[in-house]
Amino acid sequence: MPLGPDWRAVDLPEIDTLPSPVFLRSQRLPARHSFLPHTHRWRQLVYATAGALLVQAPDTWCVITPEQAVWLPTGVLHATGALHDAEFRNLYVDAALALDMPEHCQVLAATPLLRALIVELDAIGQRQESADYTARVQQLIVDQLPRLPRQDVHLPWPKDPQLRTLCEALYAQPADPRDLPAWGAALGASARTLSRRFERELGISLRDWRTRLRLIRALEWLGAGRAVTDVALELGYASPSAFSHMFRQAMGCSPSDWRRGECG
């Protein structure tokens, strides 16, 4: 599982109340370091100006690059870790603000304007600016949040015990070739039943889920410095080129470019 025993825990900041309706917290997060599962009394936008972050919530895992962010509603249990050395930029948003945002975890595209506003808000904290100017930048961020395009680069996670057993096994061994009839025989359910339950609970087919799983694990392993060929074979691809084709379709660049931080 991600954020496991080979990761190092990072202490959570002690923040009782937000000093402003939109509060930016900056931190460098070394590779394979993570915050333990926790909740907030406010909403949160998880973002990094550099590096790759893995965000884990009870029913969703996702990996994001600086072109993406994760929206977390108030009270959602979550953990965040760095696959690459990351320049962590955390936006805390007061729960009292009227804001048309999802009531579930959501991956969002970090537009150039939002990225620039986050960088500017971070810079404001390092120089003397008027409270009026700071408030205007914060309000621009609030105005932009509902306008961010929503993305589907996440890995839904089941609550059903049988489906969880299946997903945990595939997470541990993503090259496992078993199809639904084989899994049905192993779990004591028909292939049709498993298929219906999988799509009803997770909203996608097992085949699509397995593709997303392979992408998540690829990002994790590439971020840990593993060779592209090793990752491709570990994921069950017949060749590095087949793996690279999947990766390029999902991320818009090759695995090697992604590892060098040259995507986007």
Side-chain angles (χ1 to χ4, degrees), residues 30 33 68 73 106-107 123-124 146 163-164 206 209 212 244 258:
H33 284 58
Q68 300 164 306
Q106 178 67 55
V107 179
I124 285 173
L163 296 185
R164 188 178 286 272
L206 174 60
W209 187 91
R212 291 194 196 180
S244 295
W258 184 86

Side-chain angles (χ1 to χ4, degrees), residues 113 132 188 209 221 234 237:
L113 177 56
D132 180 62
W209 187 91
W221 289 336
E234 189 79 11
Y237 286 93

Side-chain angles (χ1 to χ4, degrees), residues 20-42:
S20 60
V22 177
F23 176 65
L24 178 70
R25 188 178 68 80
S26 302
Q27 182 173 347
R28 181 180 177 276
L29 203 58
R32 304 192 79 75
H33 284 58
S34 68
F35 299 103
L36 295 176
H38 61 284
T39 62
H40 298 298
R41 298 193 302 274
W42 43 76

Side-chain angles (χ1 to χ4, degrees), residues 61-63 68 107 151-155 212 215-216 250-251:
W61 298 346
C62 54
V63 174
Q68 300 164 306
V107 179
Q151 296 187 341
D152 206 17
V153 185
H154 72 284
L155 187 68
R212 291 194 196 180
L215 176 63
I216 294 291
M251 301 300 294

